[in-house]
Amino acid sequence: MPMEETKKIKLSPRLTACAEYVPQGSTLVDVGTDHAYLPVWLIQNGRVKTPVIAGDINRGPLERARKSAAEYGVENEVVFMLNNGLAGTKDDLAETVVIAGMGGETIMDIINASGWNWEGHTLILQPMSKIYELCSGLYENGLHIEKERLVRDASEIYRVLLVKPGEQEIPGDMELYAGNSDREDPLYKEYVSGLIKKFSRMEKGMAASDKADSEALEEARRLHNAALELGKELGL
Ligand SMILES: C[S@@+](CC[C@H](N)C(=O)[O-])C[C@H]1O[C@@H](n2cnc3c(N)ncnc32)[C@H](O)[C@@H]1O
């Protein structure tokens, strides 16, 4: 009887962008792994040292992770961890930490609550919301964004950050909001366009509301103008 071929996993563009930032041959923990697609792909493509740790705070997602690992024939190369972030672990758990598909504030909480010394580590972060809060929090906590890229997945544009330890001067507001990816990348222009619209809506909403305080309105106006300025530089 012919041997059954191992199924090969395909990643979404968003998770592919995360995978591409993983240093070749590193040990890795995927926090909030859910279906464990990322660890499965990394193992199948020989990108990481095994076992890979796939962690999740919820039993259901961790069960999905076990199923994927079995389906793709890598169940013996994954250690499953039912855990809130990195709680109770030490920084010798893995060299690379991926936290993808969560809100920026949750990601920052996980990093801060870990108590890890980040020296020698790589963090790959892919926030779904509160990106400004995450980016500023990283700089306030002795980390910095070494590089980042934008990726389109379905109708959304996501930021994927490669974060390293080391104090660096905190970038200006607009760099925190818009990121620092390649300015020639058409996605960057589209992302900045989206920010201009967002800040414009925010300013108009506040101006029209009799409840908004003048400081908040001033801040919305400042951000709108700063985004317009960046848009001008990009020829928008
Ligand atoms: C939307 S899924 C993202 C899955 C995968 N990382 C991705 O990017 O496709 C978010 C997962 O994070 C898990 N999660 C949320 N908060 C967490 C925490 N504090 N610690 C560990 N896992 C968490 C959820 O249970 C869920 O499975």
Side-chain angles (χ1 to χ4, degrees):
M1 217 167 70
M3 287 242 297
E4 236 181 78
E5 244 183 72
T6 322
K7 255 174 95 175
K8 277 282 204 179
I9 198 163
K10 280 210 179 86
L11 288 185
S12 64
R14 180 181 62 81
L15 286 177
T16 300
C18 296
E20 283 170 354
Y21 271 164
V22 173
Q24 177 65 43
S26 74
T27 52
L28 181 133
V29 54
D30 183 29
V31 177
T33 196
D34 197 353
H35 34 60
Y37 293 159
L38 182 70
V40 169
W41 187 93
L42 292 168
I43 296 167
Q44 286 196 326
N45 288 277
R47 290 292 304 271
V48 281
K49 240 186 238 147
T50 57
V52 167
I53 298 146
D56 207 286
I57 196 171
N58 291 307
R59 282 181 198 279
L62 211 59
E63 228 16 76
R64 276 199 286 278
R66 280 184 218 280
K67 276 200 187 124
S68 304
E71 186 181 346
Y72 291 96
V74 299
E75 66 271 41
N76 296 328
E77 292 167 90
V78 186
V79 169
F80 300 92
M81 175 176 82
L82 182 66
N83 205 5
N84 181 355
L86 294 164
T89 67
K90 291 210 213 106
D91 48 29
D92 59 1
L93 184 71
E95 292 151 349
T96 301
V97 175
V98 180
I99 316 178
M102 280 184 233
E105 285 175 330
T106 306
I107 295 177
M108 199 65 240
D109 286 348
I110 290 173
I111 292 170
N112 282 338
S114 71
W116 283 29
N117 174 350
W118 293 103
E119 216 40 63
H121 290 274
T122 300
L123 294 105
I124 297 160
L125 310 177
Q126 188 278 299
M128 304 303 262
S129 61
K130 300 278 182 189
I131 306 176
Y132 173 89
E133 287 76 359
L134 171 64
C135 293
S136 52
L138 293 171
Y139 285 85
E140 283 156 12
N141 287 282
L143 298 164
H144 65 272
I145 300 169
E146 188 167 279
K147 54 183 177 172
E148 67 172 276
R149 58 168 291 199
L150 293 167
V151 59
R152 187 197 303 283
D153 199 322
S155 58
E156 291 293 322
I157 300 177
Y158 298 100
R159 280 172 71 182
V160 179
L161 316 175
L162 182 86
V163 171
K164 289 280 194 179
E167 301 262 350
Q168 277 195 9
E169 199 177 317
I170 187 158
D173 262 359
M174 230 2 83
E175 189 173 324
L176 292 174
Y177 274 110
N180 193 20
S181 42
D182 179 6
R183 286 190 168 210
E184 297 309 314
D185 179 353
L187 282 186
Y188 183 69
K189 291 188 180 175
E190 205 178 318
Y191 195 74
V192 171
S193 248
L195 282 178
I196 295 172
K197 286 189 194 122
K198 173 179 153 173
F199 292 135
S200 165
R201 273 197 308 273
M202 211 162 94
E203 184 189 341
K204 281 195 188 124
M206 281 185 190
S209 155
D210 41 10
K211 287 194 198 97
D213 67 67
S214 58
E215 256 178 53
L217 176 58
E218 209 33 63
E219 178 63 2
R221 192 162 287 148
R222 186 183 70 77
L223 289 172
H224 184 199
N225 287 334
L228 283 171
E229 204 50 48
L230 176 58
K232 248 193 241 159
E233 285 170 31
L234 298 172
L236 292 174

